[in-house]
Structure formats: C-alpha cells, structure tokens
Amino acid sequence: MDKADERLRWGTEQRLEFIEFRTFWEGGIRRGDITGQFGVSVPQASNDLALYQRLAPLNLRYDASEKRYVPTAEFAPRFMKPDADRYLDQLWCVADGLIGLDETWIVRAPEAGVVPVPRRRIDSSVLKRLVGVIRDRRSIEILYQSMTSRRTDGPIWRRITPHAFAHDGMRWHVRAFCHMDKKFKDFLLSRCREVRAECEPGAAAADDRLWHTLFTAVLVPNPELAPSQQQTIALDYGMQDGEAHIPVRYALLYYFNKRMRLDVPAGIDKPAERPVVVANIEAFRRALAEASG
C-alpha cells in the first residue's frame, strides 16, 4: 500500500478491501453489495467505487450486461492479499455451523462439508472469567477434573495463574502456572467446571520459557514414498528445496508430534499415511524431552 493509501480512514480502507474481496472471489461487485454490508448510503458506495478506480485504475471495468463492476485482465489487489486459507477457514466455519454466511464477505458459498467432530462442552461463564483474569494478570481457582490416576475421585479446586490459550487441533487448553504443582501446565477448558476467588498471580507470563521458546521442526517428504509422490508432498506443504521449516512453541511440541503422527513408529502406517517426517529428528527428540520434563 502506498503513502496515499496509508492516509485513508480505517472505514474507507475496509470498504476498499471489501471491493477487492468481492471482485476477486465473487467475480464482481455492485453498489448494493457495499450498502448492504456496511450500511452506508448509495452515494457513499458510489464514492467508494470511484475512489477505488482512482487508486487502482486498471483493476475494474463496468459490465453493463451484468450491471456490476468486474475485474479486468490486469486486476492486481492493492488492499488485500488473496489468502486461500482465510477463504477456506470461513467456508469451514459456515459448513460447521460456527458462523452464518452473512457473517462473512462470501455471497455464493460453494457447497462444503466437514468431518463432524464431537465438541467438548466449555462453559462460557468460565471462559469469560479466564479471559478477564489473563487480561488483568491475576490468579484464580478452578474446579478441575483431572484424568491422572491419583485424582480420579472427582474434581478438585486448584489455583492457577493463566496467561494464554492453546489449541491442539482438537481441543482448547488454558496455559497457566499451577500453584499446586509449581510449574506451567495446560488445562483443558472443558474440564474447568467452575471458577472462583481471584487473587495475586503466582508467576509472570514471561516466566513460561517453554511457551515463549520456539523450536523449528524441519519437515521433509517421507523417503519411503516414490519420487513422484515426494514431489507431490513437497508441493502440498509449500516446501522450499524439499523442506518445510515449521516453528513450534516448546509447550506445543507434544501436540504437534501427535497431530502430525510423527510419533508413529516407521512401518506401522503406510508411507502415504505418514507423508512427512522430521529431518532434524535428534534435535526434535531432545526438544520434546525438554518440553516434557
């Protein structure tokens, strides 16, 4: 974005980004799209389109038969970066019922399905208190149901100082200093039954070294795959020179290891079921051991 663009007000800039989004993903835009999305007047929508054409004169042309602005062959976004992941994430959320189509900028969503995964129940009032405690840098007691063998008789109250949330691909955790065990741990949000008694913190977020330290896992195609299959995997993962460098928090290495099935011994899965392996495996194992300790 050039200096002239930087002087735009946020609301105007958002509408210009919307113009590009609809043009790029939906094939065109009308004034009514802008008025409907942002609640602005028709003259304001006309001004937005005129401003966009001044800033990017080669991007749009008016198609009288479609009665909308459509992209030219020279169309090159200036106010957004086309992002396949962002589009597909919205599509996934709509298909899974997490949000409505009207909560996105997508108009004609292609049909999509997602593999159903049972959702773990998270109490919104508990989550709200934890968010507030993190914001205020306080500690709080949680009624927590642990699965460890010595604590299976029922949930117990324990004080934690939370500082972040983490998702392992399936479940949400709260990352916190445990006042009982005197160390930073992950607590499943679905097992936090109740909260009470805010107090002074037991540790600062900056003290959680495993959270703030990154390990770079170097992923490569599984050498047991055929050369053509390895090339396919390299393209799938956007590898450069046959490698994908993935930075992972030490605190999340265990989940990364499980999620990517890197913990499955060679020979258990078919090569196609284990498409990538860790090139820096010894360093990876040391980091895992350190994170687990």
Side-chain angles (χ1 to χ4, degrees):
M1 203 177 294
D2 59 27
K3 291 183 178 179
D5 297 338
E6 292 175 0
R7 292 195 294 269
L8 295 170
R9 291 183 299 175
W10 180 81
T12 302
E13 184 176 336
Q14 189 182 38
R15 294 195 298 275
L16 295 179
E17 181 184 357
F18 174 76
I19 290 171
E20 287 193 336
F21 182 95
R22 281 287 174 87
T23 303
F24 184 86
W25 292 110
E26 303 284 344
I29 190 166
R30 298 180 175 88
R31 286 182 305 180
D33 296 332
I34 302 172
T35 59
Q37 181 68 37
F38 296 97
V40 298
S41 65
V42 172
Q44 179 62 64
S46 297
N47 290 339
D48 291 334
L49 285 164
L51 173 61
Y52 183 84
Q53 289 183 292
R54 288 200 302 272
L55 295 174
L58 301 179
N59 277 4
L60 298 182
R61 65 176 179 83
Y62 185 73
D63 188 313
S65 63
E66 295 189 24
K67 296 183 180 179
R68 65 173 183 165
Y69 292 88
V70 298
T72 65
E74 296 80 19
F75 180 82
R78 291 185 60 181
F79 297 93
M80 76 158 197
K81 180 180 178 181
D83 189 332
D85 287 334
R86 179 182 176 188
Y87 183 90
L88 292 173
D89 283 347
Q90 292 182 75
L91 199 60
W92 176 81
C93 287
V94 171
D96 204 32
L98 297 175
I99 61 175
L101 186 62
D102 59 349
E103 297 177 75
T104 74
W105 285 358
I106 301 171
V107 178
R108 295 169 294 181
E111 186 173 351
V114 296
V115 176
V117 177
R119 294 223 179 101
R120 293 174 182 255
R121 187 195 66 83
I122 298 174
D123 190 308
S124 58
S125 63
V126 168
L127 178 60
K128 177 185 176 183
R129 288 286 299 277
L130 290 173
V131 169
V133 168
I134 291 174
R135 181 182 59 241
D136 297 336
R137 300 179 182 179
R138 303 271 286 172
S139 70
I140 195 167
E141 285 189 331
I142 59 173
L143 183 61
Y144 192 73
Q145 177 65 66
S146 175
M147 288 290 286
T148 57
S149 58
R150 62 191 175 92
R151 293 172 183 156
T152 54
D153 293 337
I156 62 171
W157 286 100
R158 58 196 305 161
R159 181 166 295 279
I160 64 171
T161 299
H163 70 84
F165 294 107
H167 194 267
D168 65 8
M170 295 286 288
R171 309 169 301 178
W172 278 103
H173 306 253
V174 60
R175 181 72 177 176
F177 179 78
C178 176
H179 294 226
M180 179 182 294
D181 294 334
K182 305 299 181 185
K183 64 179 181 179
F184 287 95
K185 300 173 61 175
D186 302 329
F187 297 90
L188 272 172
L189 283 179
S190 59
R191 294 181 188 161
C192 298
R193 307 302 190 198
E194 299 177 39
V195 290
R196 70 181 186 188
E198 294 183 28
C199 196
E200 295 302 311
D207 296 335
D208 190 352
R209 184 182 61 82
L210 295 180
W211 179 263
H212 295 290
T213 305
L214 297 178
F215 176 84
T216 300
V218 181
L219 302 184
V220 297
N222 189 334
E224 296 179 11
L225 293 169
S228 62
Q229 293 175 315
Q230 293 184 44
Q231 292 175 6
T232 299
I233 295 303
L235 287 172
D236 281 348
Y237 285 81
M239 294 182 179
Q240 299 292 325
D241 298 322
E243 296 182 346
H245 292 242
I246 312 296
V248 187
R249 297 181 189 273
Y250 268 65
L252 302 181
L253 276 174
Y254 171 83
Y255 308 120
F256 178 77
N257 191 41
K258 294 287 186 181
R259 185 69 169 169
M260 299 297 297
R261 294 186 63 80
L262 300 173
D263 59 325
V264 178
I268 300 298
D269 282 347
K270 297 177 181 179
E273 296 172 339
R274 194 167 179 258
V276 296
V277 297
V278 181
N280 54 340
I281 187 62
E282 293 304 322
F284 184 72
R285 288 170 177 163
R286 288 195 298 270
L288 269 175
E290 182 180 347
S292 300

